[in-house]
Amino acid sequence: MKENINYKNIYYPPGGILIWIIILLELLTFGIALIAMVVSSKSNPEVYHSSRLMLNSTYGVINTLFLLTGGFFMAEAVRFIKKNNLTKASFYTAIAILSGISFLILKGVEYYEKIEHGIGLEYNSFFTFYWLLTGFHVVHVMVGVIILAFMYKGLKSVKSPISPESFETGAHFWHMVDLIWLLLFPLLYLIF
Amino acid sequence: MKLTNKHTIIILYFLTLLSGLLSNYSPYIFYATIAILIFAGIKFLLVAFQFMEMKKAHPFWKNILVIYISLFILTVGLILYK
């Protein structure tokens, strides 16, 4: 890792400025959609409450723990790649990939149960938001897992190894998936 | 004491489980809802500042994250309270 990167410079935030522009845009988009959902809940609080109770909050909690665990191991992987310890960095990246896959499997189970009970996009306004928000988030998780898999391959590659800077940027994409979920989880599963 | 990634993940797990427990009282007790939102905000900032190392960044980036999450929680809280 280039030790001469000065993160205190406004143009060089950790992970790079481009990933941070993407992160802020994503946070803005999901944030606006979530606020629209809260506004919509005011006209139908009973529907939102009964719909929220139809979701399995235990799944939500477990999925949050999966993503946080993945985030922790990616943070550790970045720490170790900066120390040039590629063995530990690749091991931690592999655990983060597994946590992402676990999230997707559990989300798949949750989606299957909802579809089996006939709860689709048009069931009511709560579930319209539920499907759209979690659906877009799942796409981000899938992309994140693919990025992590490429990063893992890059760590193992002798011919074209991944640079620590690129690794950190990829890790930031994974953390972004975490940040979005930390906003979605309480609003969809806990508060209504 | 310096906050490490290990300390952070323990706090994150704890706040997640606590939020899950508090959801039994939401929306009947408004303070439970507010507590869940504040815990979400703390978790958001812990991930951003510790895992993403934004604690090392220029104040512009730190402020933008704090302002974003504060405005988000405030807006959601106010809409729910009204």
Side-chain angles (χ1 to χ4, degrees):
Chain A
M1 188 75 178
K2 283 179 193 168
E3 288 301 330
N4 59 356
I5 292 179
N6 179 14
Y7 290 141
K8 290 286 178 198
N9 184 323
I10 193 167
Y11 301 109
Y12 296 99
I17 195 165
L18 290 178
I19 191 72
W20 272 102
I21 290 170
I22 293 171
I23 291 170
L24 292 180
L25 285 173
E26 292 273 359
L27 288 175
L28 200 64
T29 310
F30 275 92
I32 290 168
L34 283 168
I35 287 169
M37 180 188 177
V38 177
V39 171
S40 162
S41 77
K42 293 304 282 183
S43 57
N44 251 329
E46 293 84 14
V47 169
Y48 272 69
H49 181 58
S50 59
S51 301
R52 189 270 279 187
L53 295 177
M54 288 164 80
L55 294 179
N56 189 334
S57 61
T58 307
Y59 285 171
V61 169
I62 295 170
N63 263 342
T64 308
L65 299 180
F66 279 147
L67 284 188
L68 291 174
T69 305
F72 166 74
F73 281 108
M74 276 321 292
E76 286 292 290
V78 170
R79 197 163 69 85
F80 279 105
I81 201 172
K82 285 178 179 175
K83 290 179 178 174
N84 214 19
N85 188 339
L86 300 186
T87 313
K88 275 199 172 174
S90 57
F91 176 64
Y92 289 149
T93 306
I95 299 176
I97 293 170
L98 278 179
S99 72
I101 292 170
S102 306
F103 176 93
L104 291 172
I105 291 170
L106 190 56
K107 203 83 206 143
V109 170
E110 189 182 343
Y111 281 172
Y112 177 79
E113 286 178 3
K114 291 285 157 292
I115 291 166
E116 210 180 26
H117 288 96
I119 302 168
L121 193 71
E122 293 172 356
Y123 188 78
N124 62 31
S125 62
F126 176 89
F127 279 102
T128 304
F129 279 109
Y130 166 82
W131 282 106
L132 289 176
L133 289 166
T134 61
F136 281 125
H137 180 260
V138 159
V139 173
H140 285 76
V141 177
M142 285 173 178
V143 173
V145 168
I146 293 166
I147 289 172
L148 293 193
F150 274 107
M151 286 160 60
Y152 179 80
K153 193 168 168 271
L155 282 171
K156 295 282 180 189
S157 172
V158 181
K159 277 186 181 176
S160 55
I162 188 168
S163 72
E165 292 84 2
S166 303
F167 189 85
E168 193 176 23
T169 305
H172 269 58
F173 186 91
W174 187 250
H175 292 306
M176 177 190 78
V177 170
D178 260 8
L179 291 181
I180 295 169
W181 181 256
L182 290 177
L183 302 180
L184 294 188
F185 166 62
L187 287 176
L188 288 170
Y189 290 84
L190 304 180
I191 66 167
F192 291 116
Chain B
M1 189 179 75
K2 195 183 166 194
L3 189 70
T4 65
N5 288 342
K6 280 178 190 160
H7 296 138
T8 307
I9 191 69
I10 291 166
I11 299 168
L12 288 168
Y13 283 161
F14 175 73
L15 291 178
T16 302
L17 295 174
L18 195 58
S19 300
L21 290 174
L22 278 177
S23 71
N24 295 320
Y25 304 101
S26 176
Y28 313 112
I29 302 171
F30 186 67
Y31 290 115
T33 307
I34 290 299
I36 290 169
L37 287 174
I38 290 171
F39 290 164
I42 294 169
K43 284 156 63 183
F44 180 95
L45 292 175
L46 280 172
V47 169
F49 279 68
Q50 182 66 32
F51 288 173
M52 300 172 94
E53 297 187 298
M54 290 309 276
K55 61 185 177 184
K56 297 177 184 170
H58 186 277
F60 168 79
W61 297 101
K62 293 179 188 176
N63 291 335
I64 214 163
L65 285 167
V66 174
I67 290 167
Y68 169 84
I69 197 65
S70 306
L71 278 179
F72 180 79
I73 292 171
L74 203 66
T75 310
V76 171
L78 282 175
I79 295 168
L80 287 172
Y81 183 70
K82 274 191 175 179

